[in-house]
């Protein structure tokens, strides 16, 4: 039997805090491998293991960490599998530190983040991703979550929803096409049944200050993994991300990262499509080349000229 989920924590002190992950996956009959791999204390071991998982046919990684919680992001930098991050609650900052460390990833390397201590949401998301081509497991998840009916079999299709976010939709759809995802379409947020009928493999739900609960409302009606993509035009209040993540299960991106939402959706599609995974690999390589090019120009011209050019 294949092992679809790896669950990694930065310290064994995290294990009791995410116990619901294990209980939920056990109840659904989803196999998993738990590991203690620290981004800071065992960086090489953590990275080497992350690089192996794709070849071992894993489908998704759950990574939990607290405080300066770099494990999910550093794991995501080493793999093209979708990574779900759980911010562990901390004594002094109540997990706000963990949440911000995990969610605000740079463009190119998304982590699908759940709310602070939302271990059950992380497990459900992982199960939903692992179940996309397994009708029996999908039915079990829907039953557990109290979702009636059955979705059409998942095809290479990503649904996007949230009509106010037209630019974000275009950016994400362009990137999905570039990554070789065969089909994508925009729906009204209430049209969850249509997204299910269309055989969506992932749903990208835009959320703005006045629609922060929308991704979770959609997620409440389907077992298709929902990617919550928050958009803002200026500084946001401190409860912006906690409100986005209050309910679920949703895999949230950082603020104003529509391309990361597309990449995360493509990673889910990549579990069932070798060409999409190859496009993701090439995309990741281009990002690295771009950084290397900038570094070599900086060394060539020196800091003064480089800064002058940047300001032009
Ligand atoms: C993080 O630091 C771990 O993931 C854990 O949440 C936190 C504390 O680790 P310990 O000091 O308990 O090992 O990296």
């Amino acid at each position: 039997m294949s092992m679809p989920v790896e669950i990694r924590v930065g310290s064994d002190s995290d294990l009791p805090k995410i116990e619901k992950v294990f209980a939920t996956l056990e109840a659904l009959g989803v196999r998993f491998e738990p590991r203690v791999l620290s981004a800071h204390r065992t960086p090489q071991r953590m990275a080497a293991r992350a690089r192996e998982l794709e070849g071992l046919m894993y489908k998704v990684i759950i990574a939990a960490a607290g405080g300066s919680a770099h494990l999910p992001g550093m794991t995501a930098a080493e793999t093209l599998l979708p990574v779900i991050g759980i911010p562990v609650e901390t004594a002094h900052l109540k997990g706000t530190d963990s949440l911000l460390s995990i969610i605000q990833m740079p463009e190119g390397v998304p982590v699908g983040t759940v709310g602070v201590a939302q271990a059950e949401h992380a497990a459900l998301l992982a199960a939903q991703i692992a179940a996309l081509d397994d009708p029996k497991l999908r039915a079990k998840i829907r039953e557990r979550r109290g979702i009636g009916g059955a979705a059409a079999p998942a095809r290479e299709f990503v649904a996007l929803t949230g009509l106010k976010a037209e630019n974000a939709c275009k950016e994400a759809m362009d990137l999905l096409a570039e990554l070789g995802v065969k089909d994508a379409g925009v729906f009204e947020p209430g049209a969850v049944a249509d997204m299910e009928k269309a055989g969506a493999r992932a749903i990208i739900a835009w959320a703005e200050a006045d629609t922060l609960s929308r991704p979770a409302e959609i997620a409440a009606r389907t077992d298709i993994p929902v990617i919550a993509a928050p958009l803002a035009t200026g500084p946001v209040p401190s409860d912006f991300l906690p409100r986005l993540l209050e309910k679920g299960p949703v895999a949230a991106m950082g603020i104003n990262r529509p391309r990361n939402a597309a990449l995360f959706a493509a990673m889910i599609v990549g579990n069932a499509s070798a060409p999409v995974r190859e496009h993701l690999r090439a995309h990741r390589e281009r990002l690295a080349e771009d950084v290397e090019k900038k570094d070599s120009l900086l060394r060539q011209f020196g800091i003064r000229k480089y800064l002058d050019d940047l300001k032009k």
Side-chain angles (χ1 to χ4, degrees):
M1 223 202 285
S2 71
M3 186 81 79
V5 188
E6 186 188 89
I7 301 156
R8 41 174 61 196
V9 288
S11 168
D12 70 342
S13 65
D14 296 324
L15 288 171
K17 299 181 185 164
I18 63 158
E19 222 173 323
K20 272 202 174 161
V21 171
F22 312 117
T24 306
L25 291 179
E26 276 163 358
L28 290 167
V30 176
R31 283 161 53 89
F32 58 85
E33 164 101 341
R35 299 291 302 261
V36 182
L37 295 158
S38 168
H40 305 119
R41 296 160 178 159
T42 62
Q44 271 96 2
R45 196 177 158 80
M46 180 285 301
R49 174 65 182 164
R51 286 196 287 271
E52 275 173 16
L53 296 176
E54 204 189 292
L56 295 172
M57 309 306 282
Y58 276 77
K59 291 209 161 94
V60 53
I61 303 167
I62 295 176
S68 158
H70 295 149
L71 180 65
M74 290 310 296
T75 298
E78 299 286 353
T79 182
L80 297 170
L81 296 177
V83 175
I84 297 167
I86 307 178
V88 168
E89 192 163 343
T90 50
H92 304 296
L93 294 165
K94 298 285 161 226
T96 309
D97 42 354
S98 325
L99 172 62
L100 296 177
S101 294
I102 295 174
I103 197 168
Q104 289 292 96
M105 287 297 286
E107 178 158 323
V109 188
V111 169
T113 307
V114 298
V116 174
Q118 293 284 11
E120 188 173 357
H121 286 170
L124 289 171
L125 274 169
Q128 288 173 193
I129 291 171
L132 280 163
D133 294 301
D134 180 342
K136 275 199 197 136
L137 181 55
R138 280 194 84 165
K140 234 186 201 178
I141 295 169
R142 287 175 80 93
E143 196 191 326
R144 182 191 164 108
R145 296 197 45 221
I147 300 165
R155 59 185 188 95
E156 213 174 292
F157 179 78
V158 174
L160 298 95
T161 179
L163 288 180
K164 266 163 69 188
E166 275 168 30
N167 293 341
C169 265
K170 188 177 170 334
E171 241 185 288
M173 282 179 87
D174 287 351
L175 183 53
L176 286 168
E178 193 185 315
L179 295 168
V181 174
K182 285 199 185 112
D183 205 359
V186 180
F187 293 78
E188 293 277 353
V192 180
D194 292 338
M195 299 182 224
E196 292 206 327
K197 239 185 262 161
R201 203 167 268 275
I203 297 172
I204 296 175
W206 310 112
E208 293 166 278
D210 55 344
T211 53
L212 287 173
S213 58
R214 182 188 280 157
E217 281 159 20
I218 293 167
R221 296 172 56 200
T222 184
D223 68 308
I224 300 168
V226 173
I227 300 164
L231 302 168
T233 48
V236 299
S238 59
D239 65 347
F240 185 90
L241 291 172
R243 271 170 57 215
L244 177 77
L245 289 166
E246 206 179 324
K247 296 203 172 125
V250 295
M253 301 291 110
I255 298 168
N256 291 351
R257 291 277 180 230
R259 290 168 63 84
N260 276 0
L263 283 164
F264 199 79
M267 286 170 177
I268 294 171
V269 174
N271 277 337
S273 163
V276 169
R277 191 163 278 166
E278 282 321 303
H279 280 293
L280 283 165
R281 203 177 313 285
H283 184 266
R284 196 61 79 81
E285 279 163 14
R286 283 198 298 278
L287 288 179
E289 280 162 18
D290 186 47
V291 175
E292 283 162 20
K293 201 169 106 199
K294 287 172 178 162
D295 181 51
S296 99
L297 287 173
L298 174 58
R299 283 185 299 158
Q300 191 182 338
F301 295 120
I303 186 64
R304 285 292 146 215
K305 180 165 169 29
Y306 197 91
L307 280 176
D308 284 347
D309 289 349
L310 264 188
K311 288 177 198 155
K312 271 180 200 160

